[in-house]
Amino acid sequence: VLATPGIRAVFLFRDALGLSMKGRAVRTLDLRAGVVFSWIGIDRVSGASLAGAKWPLLNATLHHEGRQSLSNAALGGVVSFSQRSGKSLIIIPFGKV
């Protein structure tokens, strides 16, 4: 378990990195322009905000069937993820997408 508040686990998949968030949490990542990622609500996530991405979010609700869970792209630099409650997963594929 990481010492970063709100981050519970890091998963290494065959072709992707997964970062989980739980409860009130903030996570910032420094990503190159065009890096594709997804942010998925594992259960209902409230107060989800995303900055530094092609399609930002402000105080949105995420859930596994929601349109906000689709792929997004970094603008280049810091991408900020924050949520008020719930459980979510940030997935960053590596290699060709």
Side-chain angles (χ1 to χ4, degrees), residues 73-87:
L75 294 176
V78 174
V79 179
S80 176
F81 304 81
S82 66
Q83 64 184 43
R84 266 197 319 269
S85 65
K87 295 177 187 173

Side-chain angles (χ1 to χ4, degrees), residues 2 11 19 41-42 45 47 65 84:
L2 297 174
F11 303 95
L19 303 168
I42 302 301
V45 173
E65 297 174 354
R84 266 197 319 269

Side-chain angles (χ1 to χ4, degrees), residues 2-22:
L2 297 174
T4 305
I7 303 296
R8 291 296 185 183
V10 174
F11 303 95
L12 186 59
F13 302 106
R14 175 185 276 193
D15 296 322
L17 173 69
L19 303 168
S20 68
M21 296 175 65
K22 181 178 179 184

Side-chain angles (χ1 to χ4, degrees), residues 13-73:
F13 302 106
R14 175 185 276 193
D15 296 322
L17 173 69
L19 303 168
S20 68
M21 296 175 65
K22 181 178 179 184
R24 182 176 294 275
V26 175
R27 177 70 167 171
T28 57
L29 301 172
D30 190 5
L31 300 174
R32 289 185 328 268
V35 169
V36 174
F37 64 89
S38 294
W39 188 19
I40 301 166
I42 302 301
D43 64 2
R44 188 176 182 85
V45 173
S46 66
S49 294
L50 173 65
K54 186 172 182 179
W55 297 284
L57 297 173
L58 182 59
N59 200 28
T61 300
L62 300 179
H63 49 87
H64 65 278
E65 297 174 354
R67 294 186 60 88
Q68 290 87 359
S69 298
L70 300 175
S71 293
N72 207 330

